Amino acid sequence: MEIAYKSVPTDEAMPQERKNEEEEDIISTSIGEYGRWQLMLTFLLSLLNIPCTWHIFSPTFHARDMDTWCARPSQFADVDAELWRNYTQPTGYCSIIDTSYINVSSSGISILPGAVEVPCTNWEFGGDGDTIISEFSLLCDRKQLNNLAEMMFLGGVAIGGLASGVISDKYGRKKTLIASVLIQTFLGVSIAFAPWFEMYFILRAMLGFISVSVVFSGFVLSIEIVGGFWRTVAGISYLFPVSLSYVMISGIAYQIRDWRQLQLAISLPGILFSIYWWVIPESPRWLLAMGRHQEVMTILQRAAVMNKRELPLNLDKQLLPANTKIQTESVGIMDLFKTPKMRKITLLLFVIWFSVYLVYYGLVLNVGNIGGDLYVNSILSGLVEVPAIAISILFLLKCGRKWPLALTMKFAGIACLLTVPIPYIFSDVQWLITSSAMTGKFLISSSNAVMPVFTAELFPTTIRNIGVGASNVSAGMALMIVPYLWEMAMFHDCVPMAIVGVCGVIGGTCVLFLPETGNAPLKDTLGDEDTDNENTSSTVDLNRV
């Protein structure tokens, strides 16, 4: 099929404002801001969120609560389990009355005088299927090991976000993405066969490291192939499968109660994504920033055919950089702190990402701690995200990025704080506590959808993945706290939700100090940022004259 080309005005005939816009976003100018090509790719990339979300949320079901009691010795195997538990474990399943003081007769169980309790070493469980709690005996003095396993996963997320950002910005979005998907599938399947708990949490840590690479590489690629306000739509829509994934895994876990079978069920579908190597192209913006213009031309030609667009006749010349620094610019993590403006943005984003993740995952990963049924709460947690994400698109298109993010974070914090006084004002109102928590979840879900788009727009192409990945380090710190968040209830029941609420308010306040990005073209290099500052200064001086 032949590629159609159209002529474009010369530099002399083109108005300066339009010329600057096309120089800044030649890719969107050539193939359109959003067409069938972008629709297909952004949809396919968004599906990568499904297995990633399953892996993040799976510990909720891997370690679900089950009826537990100290196991009956063989000589008492015929004793009714409920009767055994009531008579032999007066202080809970961590200790049991020494069996030498237990007498069983036709009339029931009797405890001999002078009975003492001894630590329990074996347990029995009610319900269907095994959990990691029952299989690895993560009870009593080993209970904290479950939190350790989750902290290892979330620690992997923290480190992986930064590492994948560096790798992706150096070697490309596509290679990083496909390699991460394949490794994620392998690790997910391996976890299902882990024979020891130590191997389980090590593999979970590696899985967290890789999963965040899949999410971030796919996200950055999604927003780099679209332009204008469609970046908002594509960036937010990328997260739609996340909410649906919560509902899906809740249904899967309800049917598959054994943790190993559940792990296989959520891991094996990842094999299907290997076909993306032949479907998903490299980011043309990244290739352009790297000076690989011929590859950009090839991708744009294919995109133009699908979008039914005519490419400019002199496109190959327009792709050539005006400044050769674009081809040779070497970037690293320290470039996030290179200029005062970039330092301010980076540090503020650290606080914002920490706050959003602590509130969001503090609610998501602790749905079993707010009361009510685990599966119902999990489904509700997913369903409230669907309208939250949809509304976020409208807010962003009408109100920009800064104010929607600031307000949703603040009100999410307030909603969580409202759960603190409810038990003191009303009695037996679990529905009201759940409603307040889900309102907070609704609002912070909107924040979680807006934040990656806003963050990606604040960084130029050459350090975009590094910037998003670095922000994820602070988010990872929040994630590592989340498993222990509800342990703070030992001081007072209201402490966990109070911490979540305060973080939401603080994070929302920090957003107000960031610049608005709106529908401005994406910057390609740090030099573009400097140029913008110079242009702004010149404009101010001209206005004064």
Side-chain angles (χ1 to χ4, degrees):
M1 184 178 294
E2 295 184 355
I3 307 298
Y5 291 88
K6 65 179 181 179
S7 61
V8 296
T10 63
D11 288 350
E12 292 77 15
M14 187 181 298
Q16 185 63 31
E17 180 179 356
R18 181 184 170 192
K19 178 181 175 182
N20 290 340
E21 289 178 357
E22 295 204 4
E23 286 176 349
E24 289 174 333
D25 200 0
I26 184 61
I27 292 174
S28 294
T29 303
S30 303
I31 62 174
E33 294 178 346
Y34 200 82
R36 287 187 294 179
W37 184 72
Q38 289 97 331
L39 174 62
M40 178 192 72
L41 294 181
T42 52
F43 172 74
L44 291 175
L45 289 168
S46 71
L47 297 180
L48 293 167
N49 281 291
I50 295 176
C52 293
T53 304
W54 287 351
H55 288 305
I56 291 173
F57 202 44
S58 62
T60 301
F61 304 104
H62 283 180
R64 73 180 191 277
D65 288 333
M66 301 177 69
D67 284 338
T68 308
W69 60 90
C70 202
R72 294 163 289 184
S74 57
Q75 66 268 32
F76 300 123
D78 295 332
V79 178
D80 179 75
E82 189 68 25
L83 188 65
W84 172 263
R85 178 165 52 178
N86 291 339
Y87 276 89
T88 64
Q89 299 158 51
T91 59
Y93 56 71
C94 289
S95 62
I96 184 174
I97 292 176
D98 192 330
T99 55
S100 61
Y101 291 90
I102 300 173
N103 182 48
V104 177
S105 63
S106 57
S107 59
I109 297 179
S110 60
I111 307 299
L112 300 178
V116 295
E117 291 188 46
V118 295
C120 186
T121 56
N122 292 293
W123 292 268
E124 295 180 49
F125 302 88
D128 299 326
D130 285 328
T131 66
I132 61 171
I133 303 296
S134 62
E135 185 165 333
F136 299 128
S137 298
L138 304 182
L139 298 160
C140 303
D141 57 340
R142 286 171 55 86
K143 184 177 181 180
Q144 293 301 322
L145 292 179
N146 181 42
N147 289 336
L148 175 63
E150 189 56 18
M151 188 184 74
M152 291 288 287
F153 175 86
L154 299 173
V157 170
I159 301 172
L162 180 59
S164 67
V166 175
I167 294 171
S168 178
D169 282 336
K170 184 174 183 179
Y171 297 104
R173 298 8 176 168
K174 179 180 176 179
K175 290 180 180 178
T176 306
L177 176 64
I178 302 302
S180 299
V181 168
L182 295 177
I183 297 173
Q184 180 191 56
T185 303
F186 173 76
L187 291 174
V189 172
S190 298
I191 288 173
F193 296 98
W196 317 290
F197 177 72
E198 291 77 8
M199 180 175 289
Y200 172 86
F201 75 70
I202 290 174
L203 290 173
R204 283 285 298 173
M206 296 170 65
L207 182 64
F209 183 95
I210 291 298
S211 293
V212 71
S213 176
V214 175
V215 173
F216 283 174
S217 297
F219 171 76
V220 171
L221 183 53
S222 290
I223 67 168
E224 286 184 348
I225 60 177
V226 300
F229 78 91
W230 287 105
R231 287 204 311 269
T232 300
V233 178
I236 302 297
S237 299
Y238 179 77
L239 298 176
F240 267 118
V242 172
S243 55
L244 299 178
S245 299
Y246 290 132
V247 178
M248 292 167 67
I249 192 174
S250 299
I252 296 171
Y254 184 81
Q255 295 295 326
I256 304 175
R257 299 300 179 98
D258 184 85
W259 79 269
R260 291 186 184 275
Q261 296 179 17
L262 175 62
Q263 183 63 32
L264 279 176
I266 65 176
S267 299
L268 290 175
I271 298 174
L272 300 175
F273 291 107
S274 60
I275 64 175
Y276 276 24
W277 177 260
W278 295 276
V279 178
I280 303 295
E282 181 55 88
S283 166
R285 294 185 192 278
W286 179 82
L287 291 172
L288 186 61
M290 296 296 105
R292 294 159 62 174
H293 311 107
Q294 190 55 50
E295 294 175 65
V296 177
M297 279 294 299
T298 301
I299 293 173
L300 295 185
Q301 288 170 353
R302 294 173 181 171
V305 171
M306 182 170 284
N307 285 353
K308 298 182 178 180
R309 297 270 302 195
E310 295 182 354
L311 293 177
L313 288 173
N314 58 345
L315 177 60
D316 54 340
K317 296 181 180 179
Q318 294 184 52
L319 292 176
L320 294 175
N323 189 337
T324 56
K325 283 179 65 179
I326 295 179
Q327 300 183 57
T328 60
E329 185 176 18
S330 178
V331 296
I333 296 174
M334 295 309 298
D335 286 297
L336 298 176
F337 307 94
K338 192 171 185 178
T339 65
K341 180 179 180 181
M342 194 56 63
R343 278 196 299 273
K344 175 184 174 183
I345 289 173
T346 300
L347 294 175
L348 285 171
L349 286 173
F350 284 173
V351 178
I352 294 166
W353 277 66
F354 179 92
S355 301
V356 170
Y357 269 55
L358 186 71
V359 178
Y360 181 83
Y361 286 102
L363 295 174
V364 167
L365 298 180
N366 288 286
V367 291
N369 293 317
I370 63 176
D373 183 82
L374 170 63
Y375 298 95
V376 173
N377 285 348
S378 299
I379 291 174
L380 289 175
S381 178
L383 290 178
V384 297
E385 283 203 28
V386 177
I389 294 174
I391 291 173
S392 298
I393 296 176
L394 298 177
F395 282 165
L396 289 181
L397 293 178
K398 298 293 183 180
C399 309
R401 279 69 163 144
K402 182 164 71 173
W403 282 103
L405 179 57
L407 294 178
T408 52
M409 286 188 70
K410 282 193 173 185
F411 284 118
I414 293 172
C416 292
L417 289 172
L418 288 177
T419 64
V420 173
I422 287 178
Y424 300 98
I425 300 174
F426 307 99
S427 60
D428 194 25
V429 283
Q430 179 59 48
W431 67 270
L432 191 55
I433 295 175
T434 302
S435 297
S436 296
M438 290 304 162
T439 300
K441 176 62 164 52
F442 172 86
L443 291 166
I444 203 64
S445 295
S446 177
S447 304
N448 191 48
V450 174
M451 181 180 66
V453 176
F454 193 18
T455 301
E457 291 179 346
L458 287 167
F459 292 109
T461 300
T462 52
I463 60 169
R464 183 165 298 122
N465 249 28
I466 294 177
V468 175
S471 301
N472 187 66
V473 172
S474 64
M477 294 177 183
L479 289 173
M480 294 173 72
I481 295 173
V482 167
Y484 297 96
L485 185 60
W486 252 257
E487 300 295 330
M488 301 296 289
M490 69 176 67
F491 300 107
H492 196 283
D493 291 341
C494 70
V495 171
M497 289 299 281
I499 294 174
V500 168
V502 170
C503 284
V505 174
I506 292 175
T509 302
C510 288
V511 175
L512 299 177
F513 294 94
L514 290 173
E516 177 62 77
T517 56
N519 292 321
L522 292 176
K523 302 295 182 285
D524 286 328
T525 67
L526 286 168
D528 293 341
E529 200 72 46
D530 296 335
T531 302
D532 280 355
N533 293 336
E534 292 174 4
N535 290 341
T536 302
S537 301
S538 299
T539 302
V540 172
D541 292 340
L542 183 60
N543 289 335
R544 286 177 178 175
V545 174

